[in-house]
Amino acid sequence: MRGRATILLLALLGAVLAGCGAPEQAGAGQLTLAAPRDLVAGPQDPYYTHQTLGVWEPLVTVDDRLRPVPALAVSWERAERGRRWTFTLRDGVRFSDGSPLTAEAVVANVRRFLRIAPRQSAFFSLDAGMEAAYGKLRDVRAEAGRVTFELAEPVADLPARIAGFFSMVQSPKAFAASGDFTGQPVGTGPYRLVEWVKGQRAVLAANPHHHGGAPAYDRIVVRVIPDANARVAALRAGEIDGLIDKGALLPGQVGAVAADPGFRVVRSPSVLTHYLTFNASRGPFADARLREAAELAIDRRAVARTLLGGTATAGGAFLSPVFGDLAAPGSGAPHDPGRARELVAAAGAPAEPVSILVSSAETGQFPYTGIAEVLRAALEQAGLPARVTVAEATKAVMEAGDYDVFLSAYSVPNGDPDYLFRRFLRSDAAWNTERRLGYRSAAFDDLVDEAAVETDPGGRRELYHRVQRMLAADRPMIPLAYQDNAIVTTSRVGGVRQSVAYVVDLGALVPRR
């Protein structure tokens, strides 16, 4: 009896210790990571989960120069000068429920997107409608394991347009007629979502049917820790094995964490760009002279070097350098506070302080409170009194027009600049009209439309250079800095890599001894 009681006592003690929040360490089949935001959005979101979680895969992804490369599609062909695109699928792929990936399933996903758009997402919205992804789509059909898109007008680079979120594929069994998910997502990625506590954690289990083979970790827990200092404290305490996603480490934290031999920091160029967006639908920035003055007043090199801790480079062209030769050389104005004061004197200073709007959610990803204060001081030195407003619901504030300039980081879900121009700045773009940018340019609209159908690479490059020169002159938005993205794991985790779209390949992570 005493031996049996001892065994029972030990079993109870083990259960208690297991429930006391002991660190979940790599090496026992489980890995615990953290992110600044929830990478699960739930059944009403177009995607349910962010691509980083590895639950679903797209037809096409991008390389480190934002060029389209195969994912679930192994190849594609263009015909009729871009009016027809045909994608050949990878053989032997199964969804996490064991059912096969078919061309019909891909078509069902595209038709679902067309049916539910426009719809907001916590990740990459369908609020611009699906023309931003597919162009003027006439038909999509399945033919002998291939998927064909028929377009009313040519699209020069459909694979780049649909790369990432716009070509997500999940089992049609997971969708209701409304487009909402009926249960858990069912994708083809290395992991399955098995548990989600909103705003707290997502629990992933290895997908036994993954075409790339079983991932090294049987289970990955991704915790949500919005506070940047709390994330690093959890890492140092051994409660988590790594930090992922955009803004995982604040720029000021990178050096100290990288200096610790117990951690491995991975920094890579990203599509993240910090932009200043003007409300030009009302004064003072309805006056182009004051938009120019604001740009000239800001020392972008100092912001990148100091506040962003050398993890960013000063902004210039509207497109980030990761777009390669599509980014226009020589775009952007130099720091010239003297000229800024002259412009303010000529235009007249506003009667009320300029409102600099910042999202409270982004202050946990980037040092926006400090940057906004530096911007405020720079504007005031130019003769533009300013104040900083930190708000949770910035969308509502912008739609009400209650701001003058908005500081935020934007990226693209694919490899195509058309997404940025068409979604944000075209005269009929939802972001432009609903958030009071007030940018109306028929010449800009025409150039964007012309570039979208230009199949000659040199001609398309020149068109996008002209677009960016126009934006540099009109200044509806100013690129403040191009951001590297830093993530970190303990030295016990190997195989760490992330894309320029800051997607970490969880399926490639492996334990290290």
Side-chain angles (χ1 to χ4, degrees):
M1 290 294 293
R2 181 177 297 175
R4 184 179 299 174
T6 301
I7 292 171
L8 179 61
L9 179 62
L10 289 173
L12 289 172
L13 180 61
V16 170
L17 290 174
C20 287
E24 297 163 312
Q25 299 294 339
Q30 178 164 299
L31 185 71
T32 301
L33 305 171
R37 58 177 174 164
D38 200 335
L39 295 177
V40 179
Q44 293 182 321
D45 188 87
Y47 318 102
Y48 204 124
T49 70
H50 194 279
Q51 187 177 349
T52 288
L53 294 187
V55 171
W56 56 264
E57 295 170 312
L59 279 182
V60 182
T61 187
V62 293
D63 65 12
D64 289 341
R65 295 178 59 188
L66 286 178
R67 296 173 301 191
V69 292
L72 290 178
V74 293
S75 63
W76 43 83
E77 300 171 4
R78 182 178 70 188
E80 297 184 15
R81 298 186 63 253
R83 286 187 175 86
R84 180 188 302 127
W85 287 87
T86 301
F87 295 78
T88 300
L89 301 183
R90 187 181 300 276
D91 289 332
V93 178
R94 292 186 174 275
F95 292 107
S96 58
D97 64 359
S99 60
L101 170 69
T102 63
E104 288 76 11
V106 174
V107 169
N109 276 263
V110 173
R111 288 179 175 163
R112 169 181 174 263
F113 276 157
L114 293 169
R115 188 169 69 251
I116 68 175
R119 182 182 287 198
Q120 290 289 325
S121 168
F123 309 124
F124 289 109
S125 296
L126 300 178
D127 57 359
M130 293 314 298
E131 189 171 330
Y134 306 126
K136 295 182 179 179
L137 185 62
R138 180 177 286 164
D139 185 34
V140 58
R141 61 181 181 273
E143 297 176 321
R146 307 172 87 198
V147 179
T148 297
F149 294 81
E150 294 280 358
L151 305 162
E153 296 179 0
V155 170
D157 61 342
L158 188 65
R161 278 195 177 204
I162 67 174
F165 283 81
F166 288 154
S167 64
M168 176 202 78
V169 179
Q170 295 201 42
S171 170
K173 299 174 185 176
F175 309 136
S178 65
D180 292 351
F181 287 83
T182 56
Q184 298 285 50
V186 182
T188 61
Y191 284 99
R192 299 176 294 123
L193 180 69
V194 295
E195 181 187 343
W196 174 47
V197 180
K198 185 176 181 180
Q200 296 184 38
R201 68 180 179 274
V203 181
L204 308 171
N207 173 10
H209 303 290
H210 187 237
H211 57 91
Y217 291 99
D218 296 328
R219 180 181 171 98
I220 294 181
V221 178
V222 182
R223 292 173 52 187
V224 183
I225 307 180
D227 183 81
N229 291 325
R231 289 196 297 274
V232 173
L235 181 72
R236 292 191 181 280
E239 297 172 9
I240 57 178
D241 301 295
L243 304 174
I244 60 171
D245 196 37
K246 66 173 182 176
L249 287 172
L250 287 182
Q253 297 171 327
V254 172
V257 175
D260 189 323
F263 303 122
R264 180 170 179 258
V265 173
V266 175
R267 276 180 56 185
S268 57
S270 77
V271 290
L272 282 170
T273 299
H274 303 281
Y275 287 99
L276 298 179
T277 300
F278 289 107
N279 177 356
S281 66
R282 67 174 195 183
F285 291 124
D287 190 324
R289 293 172 296 178
L290 293 184
R291 296 199 300 274
E292 182 180 0
E295 180 176 25
L296 295 173
I298 299 166
D299 188 345
R300 288 183 275 200
R301 285 187 174 84
V303 169
R305 183 175 61 251
T306 57
L307 291 165
L308 292 172
T311 65
T313 55
F318 193 89
L319 293 180
S320 160
V322 298
F323 280 95
D325 61 3
L326 293 183
S331 298
H335 179 220
D336 190 345
R339 176 58 181 158
R341 287 189 291 271
E342 292 175 1
L343 287 166
V344 173
E352 298 293 328
V354 168
S355 169
I356 303 171
L357 178 64
V358 175
S359 167
S360 59
E362 288 193 296
T363 60
Q365 299 171 352
F366 305 107
Y368 274 177
T369 304
I371 291 176
E373 286 297 329
V374 168
L375 297 179
R376 181 192 62 77
L379 293 179
E380 290 193 344
Q381 288 176 7
L384 289 168
R387 59 184 172 85
V388 176
T389 301
V390 179
E392 182 177 353
T394 54
K395 180 177 183 289
V397 174
M398 295 178 78
E399 289 179 348
D402 192 19
Y403 78 102
D404 293 304
V405 62
F406 178 49
L407 169 63
S408 187
Y410 300 115
S411 65
V412 292
N414 54 17
D416 188 5
D418 186 80
Y419 174 84
L420 278 173
F421 299 135
R422 191 171 299 277
R423 180 174 186 252
F424 288 99
L425 293 172
R426 205 177 184 285
S427 297
D428 58 357
W431 181 275
N432 187 351
T433 57
E434 294 173 5
R435 306 203 185 194
R436 309 300 182 93
L437 273 65
Y439 186 55
R440 303 291 184 273
S441 171
F444 172 85
D445 296 347
D446 289 344
L447 279 176
V448 169
D449 290 345
E450 188 178 348
V453 300
E454 177 56 67
T455 57
D456 175 66
R460 192 162 185 261
R461 179 174 60 250
E462 176 54 31
L463 287 168
Y464 278 135
H465 286 185
R466 289 172 60 189
V467 165
Q468 290 167 88
R469 288 194 292 268
M470 185 177 294
L471 293 178
D474 295 344
R475 297 178 177 85
M477 296 172 68
I478 295 172
L480 182 64
Y482 311 123
Q483 183 67 55
D484 287 355
N485 196 56
I487 59 174
V488 58
T489 62
T490 70
S491 57
R492 298 185 303 276
V493 181
V496 183
R497 59 177 184 256
Q498 66 174 337
S499 72
V500 292
Y502 50 85
V503 172
V504 177
D505 186 352
L506 297 188
L509 300 181
V510 294
R512 293 177 62 184
R513 301 301 181 202

